[in-house]
Amino acid sequence: MNFKQKINPKALPQHVAIIMDGNGRWAKGFGKLRIFGHQNGVTAVREALEGCIEIGVPYLTLYAFSSENWNRPKFEVNALMELLVDTLTKETKTFLENDIRLNAIGNIADLPENCKTKLKDTIALTKNNNKCILTLALSYGSRREIIDATKSIAKQVIAGKLNIDDIDENLFGNSLYTAGMPDPDLMIRTSGEQRISNYLLYQMAYTEFCFLKKMWPEFKRDDLFEAIYNYQQRERRYGKTSEQL
Ligand code: FPP
C-alpha cells in the first residue's frame, strides 16, 4: 500500500518522537560489532528526517543517547560520540539546504568537548531554519529533566519571583528541556520492545504509540508514512467520549 498518498496532510502529527532501538541486535545478526549497527542507524536517521521534510512534519525528536547509555562499554560510548560528530559534520550542508534546525535536549554538559562544540556550532549555524526542528536527546533522562524543572521552579518560589498558585501545566511544561515545543503526537519505537525507557515522560501524557518489530537500521521513510497513516486512523479522545468530539 502507498501510505504516503493516503496520509491526510491536514491532520499531520506536529511532533514525532522516535526511540531508535535495535542497532546492536541488528549488527549481531550479521556477526558484526554493535557499532556497525549504530553506523547503519545513521541511514535510518536520514530516512526519518527526509520523510518528515517530504510530508511536512515540523518536529522530529530522536533518542540518540540516554543518560543510562553511559553505562555501556567505553569503546561503544566513544564510538557513538565520534559517530555523532562525524554525522553532524557531514549533514550540516543538508540541514542548511533543507531548512532544518538542529536542537539538543539532555545533560549536554556531560558530553565530550568535541561533541559539545560540534553541537553548539551546528545549532548556531541552523538557528534561523524553520521547516523541521530536529531535536537530539543526548545524555537524556526524563526523570532528571522533571527533577531539574522542579528545582528551577522551587528556586523561583523561594526567591519570591513566583507564586506557588501560578504553577500550572503550562509553566511546568515550559520549565522542561522541551520548552516551546509541542508535545509529541506520535512516538515510534523499533526493535519490538514495548516500553518508553525514561523518554519524554511528562510530554507523552497523550501521545499515540507505534511499536515496530523491525530494528532501527532497517527503518525506512515508508515505515514513517505507515505509522503516520495508522496514527491518523485513531481517535484521540483526551478523556472525552467519542460523541463529545
Ligand atoms: C539503540 O540501539 C541505539 C542507540 C543507543 C544509539 C542510537 C544512535 C544512532 C542511531 C546513530 C547516531 C545518531 C545520530 C543522530 C547521529 P541499541 O544499541 O540499544 O540496540 P540493541 O537494543 O539491539 O542492543
Side-chain angles (χ1 to χ4, degrees), residues 48-68:
L49 183 57
E50 287 170 10
C52 285
I53 296 284
E54 230 175 277
I55 58 170
V57 172
Y59 287 88
L60 173 67
T61 301
L62 303 175
Y63 207 177
F65 194 85
S66 76
S67 41
E68 288 74 27

Side-chain angles (χ1 to χ4, degrees), residues 60-227:
L60 173 67
T61 301
L62 303 175
Y63 207 177
F65 194 85
S66 76
S67 41
E68 288 74 27
N69 286 153
W70 290 113
N71 299 319
R72 291 194 172 193
K74 209 170 178 328
F75 167 77
E76 184 173 344
V77 170
N78 291 343
L80 271 169
M81 295 299 151
E82 284 313 313
L83 187 58
L84 175 69
V85 174
D86 271 12
T87 307
L88 291 181
T89 307
K90 287 187 190 131
E91 299 300 326
T92 302
K93 194 165 167 266
T94 315
F95 294 165
L96 294 172
E97 285 171 0
N98 291 282
D99 204 10
I100 297 162
R101 190 195 315 164
L102 184 73
N103 177 36
I105 54 170
N107 294 293
I108 306 304
D110 296 346
L111 299 175
E113 279 313 316
N114 64 334
C115 258
K116 278 192 280 200
T117 309
K118 181 46 79 182
L119 266 177
K120 213 174 105 219
D121 291 351
T122 316
I123 288 171
L125 269 172
T126 60
K127 73 175 194 306
N128 294 321
N129 294 351
N130 272 319
K131 187 156 192 196
C132 185
I133 320 295
L134 169 65
T135 300
L136 300 182
L138 290 162
S139 190
Y140 175 87
S142 190
R143 287 183 170 178
R144 165 98 182 255
E145 175 184 35
I146 292 168
I147 291 168
D148 282 351
T150 310
K151 282 182 179 167
S152 121
I153 292 170
K155 279 182 191 157
Q156 293 174 63
V157 172
I158 291 168
K161 289 183 187 150
L162 184 68
N163 194 315
I164 207 152
D165 292 327
D166 292 335
I167 302 171
D168 58 11
E169 288 186 15
N170 188 39
L171 184 124
F172 200 88
N174 279 315
S175 306
L176 296 168
Y177 308 151
T178 50
M181 290 165 65
D183 288 340
D185 297 300
L186 172 64
M187 192 282 287
I188 301 170
R189 180 175 191 149
T190 52
S191 94
E193 309 294 356
Q194 301 192 11
R195 51 177 175 262
I196 56 173
S197 304
N198 205 10
Y199 190 41
L200 303 170
L201 302 181
Y202 185 89
Q203 297 88 335
M204 295 213 287
Y206 282 100
T207 299
E208 297 292 332
F209 291 165
C210 167
F211 295 105
L212 299 179
K213 285 228 162 59
K214 57 169 67 175
M215 303 292 155
W216 179 247
E218 300 166 320
F219 185 89
K220 298 277 180 285
R221 75 190 69 191
D222 281 340
D223 297 309
L224 175 77
F225 299 151
E226 183 171 354

